[in-house]
Amino acid sequence: MSTAMTFDAGTTLLSDVTAAVKTAGVTLRDRYTSHARGVSLDEIVGEIHANDDAVLEVLREPLLRARPGSQWAEDELAGGALPPGEWWVVDPAEGNINHVHGMDDWAVTATLVRDNQPVLTVVHLPLTGDSYTAVAGGGARLNDRPLKVSAKTDLGAALIGTGQAKPGEDERTFRRIGDSVTAMLINGLVVRVSVPATMQLIHVAAGRMDAFWQFSDVRSGLVAGALLVSEAGGKVTDLTGEPWNAGSRDFLAAAPGLHGAALKVLSSTA
């Protein structure tokens, strides 16, 4: 992913988006319980949709107002390239499945994508109050602290992550995930397999994890983390090594000293 083009929007847009996402985070936090909600699949899906609807009700209009002329990407599970222009790619409850099961790995995310490149993002964690933000060409931050990716150069010392992008992917993708986890267990130190992607990618951006890969192109799970990692000094590509964009079929974000080695391991599982 290339962020050579600085996003010239000043600080006002980032402030407005951060405020809107934090307000939406209050709505999601108020819906949270420390116990699981729903037993049957229908009940779980109903809880997930209720979370999405409640957050979108307070988030959509402020974001569209903040950037006149921007458009809204409706399906949070969609992948593939977006039409030209500026689009809001939002996940009102990133890690929704964790939220409804009483776990704490979830967030509200909003990313402005211009011509299939993320240019501004806010990831807010309502339970801790932390906000991860990035603007293309302006760096990445956790609250007011600059973020920097890991300095590791040895894949054998790396903490690496992956996970499925959504339920119900095809069997070939699931088998490829399994093969890649095995390959990384052999070549890395520890592999985490969890959801959602954004909650792992903020750790890559902060230097707590060293790499993350995914065999999918679900935009809402990748655009925020892609910009955060890139602006924190990491390298973000597809699994052929080409710069990543919202239309790419797969994804690798890593510390620059490990990216090549991780790419080599993953290419063996194609």
Side-chain angles (χ1 to χ4, degrees):
M1 188 182 105
S2 172
T3 55
M5 178 191 66
T6 299
F7 180 58
D8 184 15
T11 59
T12 302
L13 180 59
L14 182 61
S15 296
D16 290 347
V17 175
T18 301
V21 173
K22 284 183 175 181
T23 298
V26 173
T27 297
L28 190 59
R29 186 187 64 204
D30 288 347
R31 297 183 58 81
Y32 176 71
T33 64
S34 58
H35 60 270
R37 307 191 305 279
V39 175
S40 70
L41 178 58
D42 285 347
E43 290 170 342
I44 293 168
V45 170
E47 291 284 352
I48 287 171
H49 287 165
N51 282 345
D52 284 345
D53 292 345
V55 174
L56 287 173
E57 186 175 353
V58 297
L59 184 58
R60 177 172 177 146
E61 290 307 318
L63 291 181
L64 290 170
R65 255 195 333 267
R67 191 67 173 173
S70 61
Q71 301 175 78
W72 192 269
E74 291 289 348
D75 184 357
E76 71 184 64
L77 292 179
L82 288 161
E86 292 188 344
W87 293 81
W88 288 108
V89 176
V90 170
D91 198 321
E94 169 73 330
N96 213 337
I97 193 69
N98 296 335
H99 186 286
V100 304
H101 281 87
M103 296 187 285
D104 57 9
D105 287 350
W106 47 271
V108 180
T109 77
T111 304
L112 186 64
V113 176
R114 176 195 283 170
D115 297 333
N116 286 299
Q117 292 284 358
V119 293
L120 179 148
T121 194
V122 176
V123 176
H124 180 61
L125 281 57
L127 289 182
T128 65
D130 288 329
S131 294
Y132 292 78
T133 62
V135 176
R141 288 174 173 76
L142 166 54
N143 302 323
D144 294 323
R145 178 172 64 83
L147 294 175
K148 187 174 182 180
V149 296
S150 165
K152 288 181 185 175
T153 58
D154 177 9
L155 190 62
L159 171 58
I160 315 157
T162 191
Q164 68 190 85
K166 59 183 178 181
E169 296 195 75
D170 61 275
E171 183 177 343
R172 180 182 179 277
T173 298
F174 288 144
R175 292 190 180 280
R176 194 178 181 199
I177 292 171
D179 290 344
S180 67
V181 168
T182 299
M184 280 297 192
L185 286 168
I186 293 168
N187 289 277
L189 179 63
V190 172
V191 178
R192 297 182 65 191
V193 182
S194 64
V195 293
T198 302
M199 299 303 287
Q200 296 194 65
L201 285 164
I202 60 175
H203 294 312
V204 177
R208 305 183 199 108
M209 287 177 60
D210 305 299
F212 173 86
W213 82 96
Q214 191 171 86
F215 298 120
S216 181
D217 64 346
V218 174
R219 289 187 297 261
S220 65
L222 298 175
V223 288
L227 185 58
L228 284 163
V229 172
S230 180
E231 288 297 320
K235 189 169 183 178
V236 183
T237 68
D238 65 17
L239 293 178
T240 69
E242 292 298 314
W244 182 86
N245 63 65
S248 299
R249 295 182 61 185
D250 40 38
F251 180 91
L252 172 63
L258 296 172
H259 183 274
L263 190 64
K264 183 177 180 180
V265 170
L266 293 169
S267 66
S268 69
T269 67

